[in-house]
Amino acid sequence: MNLTVRPLDLASDADIAQVNALDEACDRALFGGEERFTVAQSRARLQPSPYWERGHWAAVLESLEGGESIVGYAAITVPLAENLDQVFVDLSVHPAHRGGGIGTALVREALVPAIRETGRPVVAAWGSIPADGDPDDPQLPANRLASTFGLARKNVAVCRVLDLPLRPELLDELAAQAAEKIGEYRVLAFEDEIPEEHLAAYGVLLHQLDLDDPDEDLEYEAADYTPERIRIAEQRRRDAGTREIIAVAVAPDGSFAGNSVVDFHAGEGTTLGWQENTLVMPEHRGHRLGLALKVATHRRLAAEAPHLDRIATWNSHVNPWMIAINEQLGYRISHREVAFQGRPAL
């Protein structure tokens, strides 16, 4: 078989269907679950936005009979509104074809030339390692590929997964714990989009999340989440068939004090969802709002996403407060994710 690296053809249903199959195989291997996007939904997910440009490449194995199989995928994201000196890199190889140089080929033949063409000096990438792996072990595949770029480790996050459904009794117990401290705060829940009257306040929460995210030494400029930007993100999720459960903590004075978000694909065959950001504003901490928010989103999951078997989340190892809440809910360690960044000489 011959390996070829070429641009991914976003107009080709066959190309996108094979990338879908690749993503599903990678998710099953890493998380024990998967998302099942249609070709049209994934084509929408791969499009650029007013806030970033993207490039996509495929590693293709050609059989002796003339057939083609996409066994690797690489992408760059070029931010257009913030982090204007950076390029973000994504790379995946089918679990059945790892260890054969496919990732290295994608780096050398696609990513390095594309990054060089942007003229941006800073490159950031993320890679998964075993839960008990040494994040500085040069033999781990993620570290080997990062060294190909000349990138260094900047942060280590722990991925945890939670089997669903949760026992209602557990959620009742945790809600009671939160109620002991919550006082006059209250929790509101939204589905899929933020009401118009709350857009500006919600954008402040998202900006603070970027500021507070415990990324250790990772260089990252917080985004400005305008109402327009939030609405564009909501439309992109709809186009991709993705739904969102949002819980917001409201302070006694009516201001937003925190939020928590769960995303999931609504299509048949999807079994895996994502616990995304949870934030409590600095001046409102100490009232168990993080626990109350997560109880609210996880309680709604049973009704809104009964097809999910598992949900995954990430926490930096320097964020013991959120780790403790996740462990109360029953999240268990799956693997770790290393954030790499550097100014490679390309």
Side-chain angles (χ1 to χ4, degrees):
M1 293 188 177
N2 295 321
L3 180 71
T4 303
V5 174
R6 61 165 172 79
L8 185 72
D9 184 356
L10 295 185
S12 166
D13 286 0
D15 266 19
I16 294 182
Q18 288 202 52
V19 169
N20 281 351
L22 169 63
D23 286 343
E24 291 163 16
C26 290
D27 282 349
R28 285 194 301 270
L30 199 55
F31 303 103
E34 63 193 75
E35 296 177 288
R36 291 281 185 89
F37 293 96
T38 67
V39 166
Q41 289 168 345
S42 282
R43 182 174 284 119
R45 295 167 66 215
L46 295 171
Q47 296 301 319
S49 88
Y51 303 98
W52 64 76
E53 295 176 346
R54 280 184 176 161
H56 312 270
W57 294 266
V60 181
L61 276 181
E62 302 174 15
S63 69
L64 296 176
E65 294 77 22
E68 288 189 348
S69 299
I70 293 179
V71 295
Y73 165 81
I76 63 167
T77 299
V78 183
L80 300 177
E82 60 278 324
N83 297 295
L84 299 180
D85 61 342
Q86 296 208 44
V87 177
F88 303 134
V89 170
D90 183 28
L91 188 148
S92 57
V93 176
H94 194 288
H97 295 277
R98 291 172 183 168
I102 293 171
T104 301
L106 283 165
V107 168
R108 291 177 176 169
E109 299 181 36
L111 293 177
V112 168
I115 294 167
R116 185 185 296 124
E117 187 174 339
T118 70
R120 298 197 174 187
V122 181
V123 178
W126 290 260
S128 299
I129 66 172
D132 58 354
D134 179 356
D136 294 316
D137 181 354
Q139 298 307 312
L140 290 176
N143 292 339
R144 287 205 310 269
L145 286 174
S147 67
T148 302
F149 276 117
L151 307 184
R153 174 171 65 87
K154 298 296 183 179
N155 187 32
V156 179
V158 179
C159 176
R160 288 175 169 82
V161 295
L162 176 67
D163 293 328
L164 299 173
L166 284 177
R167 293 185 300 109
E169 297 83 5
L170 173 62
L171 292 172
D172 290 342
E173 293 169 10
L174 297 178
Q177 289 183 29
E180 294 174 357
K181 291 277 192 176
I182 201 169
E184 296 182 18
Y185 290 87
R186 57 195 174 92
V187 174
L188 299 179
F190 309 124
E191 294 177 11
D192 302 321
E193 66 178 44
I194 302 299
E196 191 73 25
E197 65 270 23
H198 297 312
L199 276 174
Y202 194 72
V204 173
L205 289 180
L206 297 180
H207 180 75
Q208 187 68 40
L209 177 75
D210 278 2
L211 291 175
D212 287 356
D213 201 8
D215 283 332
E216 288 192 90
D217 298 324
L218 193 71
E219 298 176 30
Y220 186 80
E221 180 185 356
D224 182 13
Y225 292 94
T226 63
E228 178 188 26
R229 187 167 187 161
I230 294 171
R231 287 293 189 235
I232 288 173
E234 291 170 346
Q235 184 60 53
R236 288 180 67 90
R237 284 196 298 272
R238 283 191 289 271
D239 292 343
T242 298
R243 297 200 53 208
E244 191 164 75
I245 297 172
I246 307 155
V248 176
V250 182
D253 64 1
S255 64
F256 278 4
N259 75 315
S260 188
V261 174
V262 171
D263 282 351
F264 62 92
H265 184 254
E268 183 179 354
T270 290
T271 60
L272 177 67
W274 313 99
Q275 165 65 63
E276 300 288 357
N277 54 282
T278 299
L279 165 78
V280 177
M281 298 291 274
E283 63 272 25
H284 297 286
R285 291 170 187 167
H287 298 279
R288 294 184 185 165
L289 295 178
L291 179 60
L293 289 163
K294 285 206 169 184
V295 167
T297 56
H298 286 62
R299 199 187 291 280
R300 293 181 78 93
L301 268 177
E304 301 298 329
H307 58 292
L308 297 185
D309 295 331
R310 183 166 293 179
I311 187 169
T313 194
W314 285 261
N315 302 109
S316 172
H317 68 107
V318 295
N319 188 4
W321 307 277
M322 198 53 60
I323 289 171
I325 292 173
N326 286 337
E327 290 179 343
Q328 284 183 280
L329 284 160
Y331 281 86
R332 55 185 171 80
I333 294 175
S334 168
H335 59 277
R336 289 193 288 174
E337 183 181 76
V338 181
F340 303 97
Q341 195 175 54
R343 298 174 179 267
L346 301 179

